Amino acid sequence: MLPEGNIGAAKLALQKNGFALPCYSDSSKVAYVLQGSGVAGIVLPESEEKVVAIKKGDALALPFGVITWWYNKEDTELVVLFLGDTSKAHKTGEFTDFYLTGSNGIFTGFSTEFVGRAWDLEEKDVKTLVGKQSGKVIVKLEGNINLPEPKEEHRKGMALNCEEAPLDVDIKNGGRVVVLNTKNLPLVGEVGLGADLVRLDGNAMCSPGFSCDSAFQVTYIVRGSGRAQVVGADGCRVLETTVKAGNLFIVPRFFVVSKIADSDGLEWFSIITTPNPVFTHLAGSIGAWKALSPTVLQASFNVDAGLEQLFRSKRNADAIFFPPPN
């Protein structure tokens, strides 16, 4: 389903002193810090380097052409999730990264003549420069190398902590949502993706709903476990599964999805293939059924007025998330 949706997914894990070498990608992405803390270096086209402190819960929008590096100096492993759009990638459904340095970096591909001419270096210096690049993708920094320290002002507009941001939805004993959009993280407009962090309380349910603007939804389970069902065309249930931390699943355009958390709750991070997603929920106080006329519902369900009134009278106080039954 990832190639069909033109979506890629990847995880980066850095142990102490792990340094992910500078690179750029053929895809725009949203990065989400699943664990730990560290530093991200970000260079937007024709812009200065931004050095950003990152920690668990941070989301960063990474447009086309951005150069990034990542570093972890802490004992706890730093784990970053990447979800993004591969519609312009070399391979649909996959990210291809292009490294500036390292044994697979651009310097190793050019001849010494071209490197020397481009950077005004003598041949012996070119050979030393290229020959020293023995690491690939990730290296462990040793010795006295001190990478740039993060600057607080560099975080503005570059990162948003979803665990600390104002809640867009907060239902007691139900769940909470933080939505990333062009208002709180403007760069998602350039990335062309929206995202959200959803935390569902123990045994609570997320209302069945669908993206009504032709968007795919890709969901990574961050914490907990639960059950998920997806219904597609012709009323066919296309997925019924137990989801748990580490799982990734995709909901096709217009398909309806619902989840019920286990007793330990369920938390997930999703991207939606539009920067300001719009969802239609089918149950709850804002459910689409509430907008339909009683007689339309009665005729559609082929039931009497009494059952239609019973159906309509339920879920008048709960929106999107439903606390567990008493």
Side-chain angles (χ1 to χ4, degrees):
M1 284 301 299
L2 288 174
E4 184 172 324
N6 281 319
I7 294 165
K11 274 203 298 190
L12 169 69
L14 293 177
Q15 296 177 349
K16 186 174 183 177
N17 294 324
F19 176 52
L21 296 173
C23 73
Y24 61 93
S25 176
D26 62 356
S27 304
S28 55
K29 308 171 187 172
V30 173
Y32 183 72
V33 182
L34 296 169
Q35 175 183 302
S37 60
V39 179
I42 302 169
V43 180
L44 295 167
E46 300 181 359
S47 178
E48 65 174 2
E49 179 184 57
K50 305 280 189 181
V51 183
V52 180
I54 57 173
K55 64 178 181 179
K56 181 178 179 292
D58 275 349
L60 302 92
L62 305 174
F64 281 115
V66 67
I67 296 171
T68 60
W69 55 261
W70 309 81
Y71 177 59
N72 178 25
K73 63 179 179 180
E74 305 297 336
D75 292 329
T76 302
E77 189 175 51
L78 172 65
V79 183
V80 184
L81 170 73
F82 299 92
L83 300 173
D85 175 20
T86 66
S87 58
K88 298 180 181 178
H90 284 264
K91 298 178 182 178
T92 57
E94 292 184 32
F95 300 138
T96 299
D97 294 325
F98 296 83
Y99 285 86
L100 302 187
T101 63
S103 61
N104 60 335
I106 61 170
F107 279 87
T108 61
F110 283 112
S111 66
T112 52
E113 177 193 0
F114 271 65
V115 174
R117 285 282 297 274
W119 283 275
D120 192 23
L121 295 172
E122 295 183 7
E123 184 176 0
K124 63 180 179 62
D125 296 321
V126 172
K127 289 182 177 179
T128 301
L129 188 69
V130 175
K132 285 283 189 178
Q133 298 181 49
S134 57
K136 183 177 181 179
V137 183
I138 296 172
V139 298
K140 186 173 183 178
L141 297 185
E142 307 283 1
N144 299 320
I145 296 180
N146 293 314
L147 293 181
E149 289 295 321
K151 297 181 179 180
E152 183 60 33
E153 62 268 25
H154 285 182
R155 264 188 73 90
K156 186 176 181 181
M158 300 299 299
L160 177 74
N161 191 276
C162 297
E163 296 183 355
E164 300 172 355
L167 297 170
D168 293 281
V169 177
D170 186 5
I171 307 295
K172 184 178 180 180
N173 298 322
R176 286 150 298 284
V177 181
V178 170
V179 178
L180 271 67
N181 52 37
T182 54
K183 293 181 180 179
N184 55 18
L185 194 60
L187 276 177
V188 299
E190 293 186 39
V191 172
L193 301 168
D196 59 19
L197 177 68
V198 180
R199 286 167 281 180
L200 200 58
D201 291 336
N203 299 313
M205 180 181 190
C206 182
S207 169
F210 65 94
S211 169
C212 55
D213 45 13
S214 189
F216 281 85
Q217 184 177 7
V218 182
T219 296
Y220 180 88
I221 306 300
V222 175
R223 182 190 59 80
S225 60
R227 292 174 290 144
Q229 292 186 357
V230 179
V231 176
D234 296 322
C236 293
R237 188 185 310 154
V238 297
L239 178 69
E240 179 172 15
T241 189
T242 297
V243 293
K244 60 183 180 180
N247 287 170
L248 180 81
F249 72 95
I250 182 170
V251 180
R253 290 177 293 189
F254 301 111
F255 282 35
V256 179
V257 59
S258 183
K259 307 178 191 74
I260 298 177
D262 289 338
S263 58
D264 56 347
L266 186 63
E267 181 177 331
W268 65 85
F269 184 81
S270 296
I271 64 162
I272 304 95
T273 55
T274 179
N276 292 297
V278 179
F279 285 95
T280 292
H281 294 277
L282 299 178
S285 60
I286 61 171
W289 293 119
K290 302 289 186 185
L292 291 170
S293 303
T295 52
V296 172
L297 280 184
Q298 191 176 334
S300 300
F301 281 125
N302 191 27
V303 296
D304 60 28
L307 186 53
E308 186 282 325
Q309 290 171 8
L310 176 65
F311 178 80
R312 182 181 294 277
S313 68
K314 300 295 184 178
R315 294 290 182 211
N316 285 324
D318 303 318
I320 303 178
F321 301 127
F322 310 143
N326 294 328

